[in-house]
Amino acid sequence: QAIFRPWRLPFVIDTLSKYGIRGLTNTTVKGVGVQGGSRERYAGTEFGPSNLVEKEKLDIIVSRSQVDAVVRLVAASAFTGEIGDGKIFVHPVAEVVRIRTAETGLDAEKMEGGMEDMMRRKR
Amino acid sequence: MALLATKTGSPNVTRRSIAARPCSAAPVRLARPGRKHVGIHAMAAATAEEAELRKQLTNLDRVTILSEALPYLQRFRGKTVVVKYGGAAMKDPTLKAGVITDLVLLSCVGIRCVLVHGGGPEINSWLAKVGIQAVFKNGLRVTDAATMEIVEMVLGGRVNKSLVSLIQQAGGKAVGLTGKDGQLLRARQMVELDIGYVGEVTKVDPTILNVLGNDSYIPVVATIATDTAGQALNINADTAAGEIAAALKAEKLVLMTDVPGVLRDKNDLSTKIQSLDIRQCRELIADGIIAGGMIPKIECCIRCLSQGVKASHIIDGRAKHSILMELLTDEGVGTMITG
């Protein structure tokens, strides 16, 4: 689960799909996350600890072997170096079910033409 | 490009569509050699070259160049460009006139321009006239109460209005604002720096800029802000321009300086870096290649880029038509920094 700056969204999604991550969910969220009294800047305004700032959230479900790669991809494409870049949270997922075919587990998570297939083709 | 004025002046187009336009209705303006494939030329040789080229251009040439400019104009139509005006370009009247006409041209084409200015030299001369000693600490002006009054008057009254009237003379529509008007800039005093009434921007309210831009006015902004108590604060023009660009979700921030861009080797013009991104900027600062007065400008660029402005440009205000060259050509004349 990644939370980052709104204007970075197209770039992050492009990078992910270039590397084969085809399934993700996006939500627009507002949040606070200031460390140690420093203020975040958004749209020319300073945001202190009690004002909510707009961010975009992406939920991406991947198999365990792909987690590191995806985390690195998202972090690299959402980075700016200024306060307010965001955070990535890694959660374990108990079960994945594809509604159309009732597949479960790794079969349900796997996407046709996705990262796994791209890696296999390279080898 | 400057040729656009040719279009508006030419008889076939004028009567039909240009009647209500605020642009200058001057008769056919001769083409300037500010074309894509002609690089920057030395100012001294300019007039002789120009005269030569003008003789050689046919009408077909002019119209071809104009239609070649179309993709660029389309790309930016309706988008906002914030230009921070300062340095030598502000002192030399010919350069000033060039910048003003460039802005009016962009405004004519449908690109929303905002002009932000500083005004160091004028402030110094007026302080001298009044008899106040200008004090600088680490290169930053110390602004006590008396100096603040002069700064407010000179920036908001003298420099601002002279730019506004120049734009009006060139045929554009302009309104002069300070950060106080319409609560455009809200700031807090930077007590930690101990240089008096100098502020850090806390909030930008771009409503008034949008109102003006919708009616094709060019806002000219002097960077004086108020804090919550109504105290006037002086804001660094580069930073303020960046914040205004971020608040307007501008397409571009253009910083006019006295250097041709970011140079890898300070003394070698050919090592100018064409484009950078945020990561590379930080690396260059860490390596020491970007140093001195360039650092605050780059940091201001990074700040506004991290807030969503698409690109920022550092250009040489002393080159002719530098704004147009930067925006309307692929190579540009300065350094482009993207997010």
Side-chain angles (χ1 to χ4, degrees):
Chain A
Q1 193 183 67
I3 302 181
F4 49 82
R5 297 182 194 270
W7 60 275
R8 277 293 198 200
L9 187 63
F11 185 48
V12 173
I13 296 183
D14 279 340
T15 320
L16 286 173
S17 75
K18 200 165 61 160
Y19 283 90
I21 303 298
R22 303 242 178 276
L24 43 85
T25 314
N26 167 243
T27 341
T28 312
V29 294
K30 285 205 264 223
V32 199
V34 272
Q35 302 186 61
S38 53
R39 286 146 181 265
E40 173 183 348
R41 301 206 73 103
Y42 177 62
T45 312
E46 276 185 346
F47 284 83
S50 43
N51 319 85
L52 298 175
V53 192
E54 277 175 23
K55 296 279 181 222
E56 293 289 335
K57 184 165 78 160
L58 270 187
D59 287 301
I60 313 163
I61 313 290
V62 287
S63 61
R64 198 157 288 182
S65 53
Q66 299 170 343
V67 170
D68 281 328
V70 172
V71 166
R72 242 177 288 134
L73 274 177
V74 175
S77 42
F79 168 85
T80 65
E82 295 284 312
I83 296 176
D85 270 345
K87 274 202 167 89
I88 303 179
F89 304 107
V90 180
H91 309 272
V93 174
E95 183 63 274
V96 183
V97 178
R98 181 173 274 126
I99 296 177
R100 179 173 55 93
T101 59
E103 287 167 335
T104 57
L106 274 175
D107 283 335
E109 185 275 329
K110 177 165 159 30
M111 300 284 269
E112 196 59 47
M115 200 183 228
E116 225 179 285
D117 292 334
M118 288 174 94
M119 299 271 114
R120 206 172 299 141
R121 237 177 288 139
K122 266 205 212 137
R123 266 183 249 124
Chain B
M1 315 249 193
L3 289 171
L4 209 52
T6 315
K7 190 179 185 185
T8 59
S10 83
N12 304 328
V13 192
T14 311
R15 274 150 227 159
R16 261 182 285 128
S17 49
I18 316 300
R21 286 250 212 110
C23 307
S24 162
V28 181
R29 262 223 270 171
L30 295 173
R32 302 271 179 80
R35 282 170 286 165
K36 286 196 274 277
H37 52 280
V38 178
I40 312 172
H41 31 252
M43 297 276 272
T47 18
E49 247 179 84
E50 271 180 60
E52 241 333 284
L53 282 162
R54 269 175 218 179
K55 273 185 249 163
Q56 293 169 11
L57 278 182
T58 65
N59 280 332
L60 183 61
D61 281 332
R62 297 200 179 123
V63 177
T64 314
I65 293 170
L66 197 53
S67 53
E68 277 174 26
L70 180 63
Y72 295 97
L73 301 174
Q74 282 178 322
R75 203 192 298 172
F76 297 126
R77 191 178 168 79
K79 304 279 168 74
T80 313
V81 173
V82 177
V83 179
K84 187 265 168 177
Y85 185 38
M90 228 171 145
K91 298 177 211 142
D92 183 332
T94 2
L95 290 175
K96 216 174 188 179
V99 171
I100 300 288
T101 36
D102 283 355
L103 281 179
V104 173
L105 178 69
L106 289 176
S107 172
C108 225
V109 176
I111 300 173
R112 287 156 78 127
C113 301
V114 177
L115 183 62
V116 180
H117 65 86
E122 285 250 25
I123 299 176
N124 286 335
S125 76
W126 279 94
L127 283 173
K129 279 192 214 185
V130 177
I132 302 179
Q133 178 73 301
V135 183
F136 285 85
K137 204 185 200 174
N138 297 336
L140 300 167
R141 183 194 302 280
V142 176
T143 320
D144 57 2
T147 319
M148 191 62 217
E149 288 184 353
I150 304 290
V151 165
E152 228 189 298
M153 288 197 292
V154 171
L155 281 188
R158 180 117 185 80
V159 180
N160 194 272
K161 300 308 172 188
S162 77
L163 288 173
V164 167
S165 70
L166 281 173
I167 297 180
Q168 300 278 167
Q169 297 281 68
K173 300 199 295 186
V175 175
L177 301 167
T178 66
K180 291 178 155 189
D181 294 303
Q183 286 278 33
L184 176 58
L185 292 172
R186 213 93 59 84
R188 62 180 160 82
Q189 189 174 356
M190 290 199 283
V191 277
E192 62 275 14
L193 283 180
D194 196 24
I195 42 177
Y197 293 110
V198 175
E200 171 72 85
V201 177
T202 57
K203 192 164 174 1
V204 180
D205 186 359
T207 330
I208 184 68
L209 296 178
N210 288 326
V211 164
L212 290 173
N214 288 340
D215 283 312
S216 328
Y217 282 92
I218 301 177
V220 182
V221 183
T223 56
I224 312 277
T226 41
D227 69 8
T228 44
Q231 166 67 44
L233 294 170
N234 193 3
I235 314 276
N236 174 275
D238 290 319
T239 338
E243 302 304 327
I244 292 177
L248 288 171
K249 305 220 187 314
E251 190 73 15
K252 294 197 182 287
L253 169 71
V254 178
L255 294 178
M256 296 185 68
T257 63
D258 289 335
V259 286
V262 176
L263 300 167
R264 202 170 280 281
D265 176 3
K266 217 164 20 130
N267 308 312
D268 192 357
L269 267 160
S270 62
T271 62
K272 187 190 70 165
I273 308 178
Q274 284 270 13
S275 67
L276 289 170
D277 70 17
I278 297 186
R279 267 235 172 73
Q280 289 166 337
C281 283
R282 292 189 192 275
E283 283 167 26
L284 288 177
I285 296 182
D287 288 340
I289 296 180
I290 296 180
M294 189 53 91
I295 295 189
K297 293 209 190 291
I298 297 281
E299 301 209 326
C300 146
C301 287
I302 294 182
R303 230 162 82 147
C304 83
L305 284 168
S306 71
Q307 295 180 67
V309 175
K310 301 259 172 45
S312 69
H313 300 254
I314 299 187
I315 63 177
D316 188 349
R318 302 164 303 176
K320 267 189 99 162
H321 291 301
S322 42
I323 303 180
L324 291 181
M325 292 277 275
E326 187 70 18
L327 292 187
L328 301 179
T329 61
D330 276 326
E331 316 84 45
V333 297
T335 306
M336 170 159 116
I337 310 178
T338 46

